[in-house]
Amino acid sequence: MRTRILGSTGPEVSALGLGAMSMSGAYGEADRAESIATVHAALDAGVTLIDTADFYGMGHNELLLAEALRGRDRDSYRLSVKFGMLRGPSATDFGGADGRPKAVKNFLAHTLTRLGTDHVDIYRPARRDPDVPIEETVGAVKELIDAGHVRHLGLSEVDAATVRRAHAVHPVADLQIEYSLISRAVEEEVLPTLRELGIGLTAYGVLGRGLISGHWSADRVGRDGDHRAASPRFSAGNVEHNLALVESLRRVAEAKGCTVAQLVIAWVAAQGEDIVPLVGARTRERLAEALPALGLDLTADDLTEIEKAVPPGAARGDRYPAALMSGLGVGN
């Protein structure tokens, strides 16, 4: 397993991370035993970065990971945890973000209990609270770092100006943000800022929530609770256009001797040694497909062909429903 360091102050982690969100109902019901087996398979393969959030399944995901990680050497993996998103009893009830310092500490207290650990390796607000200066939210995380409950500060889905303000309070290890062939807004201002400040990037959505994995089809019916049913990129009219892009990618992948999923993961990894792609595999089969992407070395010609197949801005539809776009630091 190759490794990368998250920025100039962050930890050394596997060059591919495991995102656990889909194991807790985001894309419909998941098989608990298979989810745990997938975490075990990832660890056994050398994956050391596991990403979760306290609001994934309203605590379900952290409890699941606690079970999956039980008995493992705590120093053998790194837990990246997002906090601050407010939820209601309904799966679609989002109440904004809470970045108040007293709330930050409260969130972590519950997270540590659910995960069964005395610290998390990277702690990050999932979204910026517009009513709380980022300096106050980050200041609370800094206090938790000083107390030994958190190892590193991370950020998620914020713009370049917010990155600078946060970094001035405490060094930021990495920014977690959506980055894929069909989500490239980060390249304009955010990524150059991260590199100027020595901050890493953990990229989620590298497979476009499955849309550019090579496994999606326009007639696929989402299971109950699958949030992709509300995603503009999966809606009728848009999905057909986006899947045509995938077919162009498939031709490049076949010429390279790999799958579409492996090609698009490798493309993200090839954008810089300071970038760690996260894959949301919830089965061992999908994990096994993703892992060889790390050994896929893309030539300059390969990258040119990939960009021809999916030029910047080629995807149709926003990456989130309209109600959630306003909370993002960058667009598509």
Side-chain angles (χ1 to χ4, degrees), residues 82-169:
K82 294 182 290 296
F83 67 86
M85 291 292 286
L86 301 178
R87 301 290 300 271
S90 168
T92 58
D93 187 359
F94 288 88
D98 190 346
R100 296 172 301 152
K102 63 182 179 181
V104 173
K105 296 174 182 179
N106 180 71
F107 290 138
L108 182 65
H110 288 281
T111 281
L112 294 177
T113 299
R114 284 189 292 260
L115 286 171
T117 184
D118 64 353
H119 73 279
V120 298
D121 298 284
I122 310 170
Y123 203 46
R124 67 183 83 244
R127 297 290 185 271
R128 179 184 169 186
D129 183 343
D131 298 323
V132 178
I134 191 63
E135 290 85 353
E136 293 184 14
T137 302
V138 168
V141 177
K142 180 182 184 301
E143 290 181 16
L144 294 168
I145 292 173
D146 292 341
H149 304 303
V150 173
R151 296 289 186 263
H152 302 279
L153 167 67
L155 295 173
S156 176
E157 284 289 354
V158 294
D159 60 13
T162 302
V163 171
R164 290 185 184 279
R165 288 171 57 188
H167 193 66
V169 176

Side-chain angles (χ1 to χ4, degrees), residues 36 50 54 98 143-144 151 178 204 216 226 275 319:
I36 291 173
I50 302 176
D54 59 14
D98 190 346
E143 290 181 16
L144 294 168
R151 296 289 186 263
E178 187 167 355
Y204 77 88
W216 198 265
D226 190 332
I275 297 172
R319 59 190 179 100

